[in-house]
Amino acid sequence: MNPQDLIAQARAQQRTALDEQAGKLLLAAYGVAVPKTLTVKNADKVDAAFSQLRAPVVVKIMSQDILHKSDAGGVKVGLQSAAEVKDAINAMAASPKIKGARIDGYLIEEMAPAGQEIVVGGVRDPDFGPLVMVGLGGIFVEVLADVSFRICPITRIDAQEMIEDLKGAAILDGARGRKTVSRAAIIDVLLKVGGENGLLMQHAGDLTEADINPLIVSESGAVAVDARFILGQA
Ligand code: ADP
Ligand code: MG
């Protein structure tokens, strides 16, 4: 589906955000790698979906009422069989925080290769237009607020500088026995999101917020495993 149609479809359903599946299709349309993902309505449909994926897989709740899926018990990683996937879906459907929500379905996706979790985001500033953001994932963003912003469109040099601006940038070089993390892969994603022909520039009229959290970056590549895009007034 072309990117503008993904946005039009969400608007036609009176939604204020793209669902995760649509968000990943939007990223893929701009060349950002996403896991192979299928959605099912309920546990009965798992066998056909599971057979098309490479285990281990992740199951996630899809609901416009649930912002933080993990907090609601709506993410289960490392599932090795169709039976495990069905159990995870049934447990989610029965859990208190999910029961009362409008459920669109369940996303089943392949696991990304292990790596450092990074956050790439965007916001639309009323004066400056789209801004792109990068941060190191987890506590670096949530507790230390170690993030770096630029006004779009950014150049390759801007993207390099954004990464170097992070106080925790040394983490990317494999501090404390960790593996090194591909800066080139992060720069590539920053350009696809915030560059001249990037996603934020192309959809500046529609998107008020973008959040790839996390982008999992290994020694050789980066995969966006969670994607959220908020739509402004049409
Ligand atoms: P939420 O942020 O809504 O709680 P996420 O989709 O970000 O849900 O999933 C929570 C966590 O699960 C991620 O931060 C990541 O650590 C892990 N995860 C999710 N999807 C994948 C995936 N495809 N491969 C590897 N890890 C994943
Ligand atoms: Mg997330």
Side-chain angles (χ1 to χ4, degrees):
M1 200 185 297
N2 103 31
Q4 203 54 45
D5 291 347
L6 290 165
I7 292 171
Q9 190 179 58
R11 289 203 186 278
Q13 297 169 352
Q14 324 295 332
R15 290 175 188 245
T16 53
L18 298 187
D19 68 39
E20 185 171 340
Q21 168 108 322
K24 284 176 170 155
L25 290 170
L26 181 61
L27 287 172
Y30 284 86
V32 176
V34 296
K36 182 169 182 192
T37 301
L38 296 170
T39 54
V40 296
K41 282 281 168 214
N42 56 53
D44 299 342
K45 304 282 196 292
V46 166
D47 289 312
F50 186 82
S51 66
Q52 296 176 56
L53 298 171
R54 181 177 36 81
V57 298
V58 185
V59 170
K60 302 183 194 183
I61 186 75
M62 272 175 77
S63 165
Q64 52 192 306
D65 300 324
I66 298 173
L67 258 175
H68 299 290
K69 301 178 294 289
S70 312
D71 293 353
V75 178
K76 195 109 172 82
V77 302
L79 304 173
Q80 297 285 359
S81 66
E84 283 180 36
V85 171
K86 286 180 206 172
D87 287 348
I89 289 176
N90 289 328
M92 283 179 195
S95 91
K97 284 186 182 154
I98 291 173
K99 239 181 181 160
R102 288 170 287 180
I103 296 174
D104 292 327
Y106 298 86
L107 210 132
I108 310 175
E109 70 183 23
E110 294 182 354
M111 298 281 291
Q116 170 70 36
E117 298 199 356
I118 303 280
V119 179
V120 171
V123 286
R124 188 171 72 194
D125 182 273
D127 297 322
F128 298 113
L131 311 182
V132 62
M133 178 275 252
V134 68
L136 299 173
I139 64 155
F140 290 100
V141 163
E142 283 154 28
V143 183
L144 304 172
D146 186 11
V147 296
S148 166
F149 283 91
R150 289 290 184 285
I151 297 170
C152 298
I154 56 163
T155 63
R156 182 167 291 277
I157 291 174
D158 292 326
Q160 278 161 358
E161 287 176 358
M162 286 175 77
I163 296 169
E164 297 316 320
D165 283 352
L166 298 173
K167 296 183 197 75
I171 292 282
L172 305 175
D173 302 321
R176 304 221 154 195
R178 297 175 191 232
K179 287 196 170 144
T180 59
V181 174
S182 171
R183 276 178 167 72
I186 304 172
I187 291 167
D188 185 57
V189 171
L190 283 171
L191 287 170
K192 284 169 174 163
V193 172
E196 177 103 58
N197 299 310
L199 191 162
L200 294 173
M201 291 300 288
Q202 295 298 316
H203 302 286
D206 284 305
L207 301 178
T208 54
E209 241 181 276
D211 197 23
I212 305 174
N213 186 3
L215 177 76
I216 301 185
V217 192
S218 68
E219 283 174 291
S220 57
V223 182
V225 308
D226 190 13
R228 195 170 160 73
F229 293 97
I230 314 277
L231 302 172
Q233 301 279 336

